[in-house]
């Protein structure tokens, strides 16, 4: 390859699929969020027999492996379209299959799933409406959706915006961080406030049962007590944890 060809290849826009297949791109989020979300689901399933639970966008399987001890007796299946992520997930959880929320859809029948974990995924999607339609399709009537996503209106983001700084979690490029704290590019395309998330999920045909907050593992250590305290008010928490049921 000539120097000119190399320069053109480097300048070519990066496809989102290429971005998420890159092993250097983080595919796991913090343990505190995973544990809180698993406890919410365990409470919802407490009186029911063995259920089938999909962890859609399972990444490297860390979140599912963290949740599994809190969901004994239930069948937990990881789903991701990244082959690299699936290879890593299969070292941590018994079941991990390839599937997409758009295009061909998930490899599960209509109404065949009892619960879906949808953790730190919706903020990465070009078409979140189609994704919610597909999740609703595979869930049985009354099935549970446990969705988590970063909060655009987190307590520190409010202060950063007042100072003219790009909010944490928001990104303007797939190549580098610009105008905000942090060092990792993770591919966030959309961000939600608590109110926007409630309205979005309800419009997709779900009844919102509960909304909680969770801490963010990337908060600097001296600020972590404040971040945990903010979880008492989901509207200012770092991470939004939403429990909804298929209407």
């Amino acid at each position: 390859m000539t120097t000119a060809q190399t320069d053109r290849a480097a300048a070519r826009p990066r496809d989102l699929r290429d971005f998420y297949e890159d092993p250097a791109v983080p595919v796991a989020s913090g343990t505190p969020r995973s544990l809180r979300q698993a406890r919410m689901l365990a409470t919802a399933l407490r009186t029911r027999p063995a259920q089938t639970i999909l962890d859609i966008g399972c990444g490297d399987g860390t979140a599912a492996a963290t949740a599994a001890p809190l969901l004994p007796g239930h069948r937990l299946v990881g789903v991701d379209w990244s082959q690299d992520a699936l290879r890593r997930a299969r070292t941590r959880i018994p079941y991990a299959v390839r599937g997409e929320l758009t295009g061909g859809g998930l490899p599960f029948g209509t109404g065949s799933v009892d619960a879906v974990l949808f953790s730190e995924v919706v903020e990465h999607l070009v078409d979140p409406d189609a994704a919610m339609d597909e999740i609703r399709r595979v869930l049985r009537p009354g099935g549970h959706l446990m969705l988590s996503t970063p909060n655009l209106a987190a307590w520190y983001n409010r202060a950063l915006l007042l100072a003219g700084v790009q909010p944490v979690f928001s990104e303007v490029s797939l190549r580098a961080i610009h105008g905000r704290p942090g060092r990792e590019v993770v591919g966030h395309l959309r961000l939600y406030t608590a109110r926007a998330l409630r309205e979005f999920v309800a419009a997709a045909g779900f009844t919102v049962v509960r909304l909680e907050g969770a801490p963010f593992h990337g908060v600097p250590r001296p600020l972590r007590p404040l971040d945990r305290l903010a979880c008492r008010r989901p509207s200012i928490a770092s991470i939004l944890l939403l429990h909804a049921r298929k209407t």
Side-chain angles (χ1 to χ4, degrees):
M1 182 180 287
T2 67
T3 301
Q5 289 173 323
T6 302
D7 290 343
R8 284 196 296 271
R12 187 171 57 241
R14 196 176 187 188
D15 183 83
L16 277 174
R17 289 180 179 270
D18 294 336
F19 177 82
Y20 290 117
E21 285 286 6
D22 185 347
V25 173
V27 292
S29 53
T31 299
R33 189 273 302 156
S34 300
L35 288 172
R36 288 183 183 227
Q37 194 172 41
R39 290 189 190 107
M40 289 174 69
L41 182 56
T43 298
L45 299 179
R46 185 168 292 161
T47 60
R48 298 188 62 84
Q51 306 283 288
T52 297
I53 303 165
L54 302 186
D55 181 6
I56 298 177
C58 67
D60 65 4
T62 299
T66 300
L70 300 177
L71 299 165
H74 301 298
R75 183 170 179 253
L76 186 57
V77 181
V79 183
D80 209 294
W81 65 262
S82 167
Q83 295 289 8
D84 178 74
L86 288 172
R87 280 192 292 271
R88 287 181 276 170
R90 288 172 182 141
T91 68
R92 295 182 171 93
I93 54 179
Y95 309 104
V97 300
R98 192 177 189 281
E100 298 189 43
L101 287 165
T102 55
L106 297 169
F108 300 92
T110 299
S112 63
V113 173
D114 301 290
V116 165
L117 290 169
F118 199 42
S119 308
E120 320 295 306
V121 176
V122 70
E123 65 270 16
H124 297 269
L125 300 179
V126 173
D127 190 351
D129 302 288
M132 294 296 286
D133 289 344
E134 181 64 2
I135 289 172
R136 193 173 187 280
R137 180 189 70 80
V138 300
L139 277 173
R140 64 169 174 80
H144 300 275
L145 169 63
M146 298 290 175
L147 185 156
S148 68
T149 191
N151 183 9
L152 174 60
W155 59 276
Y156 41 81
N157 280 346
R158 298 176 184 225
L160 289 172
L161 277 171
L162 286 174
V165 177
Q166 186 82 6
V168 175
F169 309 126
S170 66
E171 296 182 330
V172 300
S173 171
L174 292 180
R175 297 179 181 177
I177 295 297
H178 300 292
R180 73 160 174 84
R183 295 186 298 272
E184 291 182 330
V185 178
V186 293
H188 289 176
L189 304 180
R190 302 176 184 277
L191 290 176
Y192 300 80
T193 63
R195 177 177 177 178
L197 186 64
R198 282 180 175 273
E199 292 182 4
F200 169 70
V201 171
F206 292 84
T207 298
V208 175
V209 177
R210 189 175 180 184
L211 182 67
E212 292 188 5
F216 174 45
H217 65 281
V219 168
R221 187 175 298 276
L223 296 177
R224 289 179 185 176
L226 182 57
D227 195 42
R228 289 193 294 270
L229 183 64
C231 293
R232 297 181 182 180
R233 290 187 59 193
S235 62
I236 64 170
S238 285
I239 306 296
L240 299 171
L241 302 180
L242 183 140
H243 172 204
R245 300 194 73 173
K246 178 179 173 179
T247 305

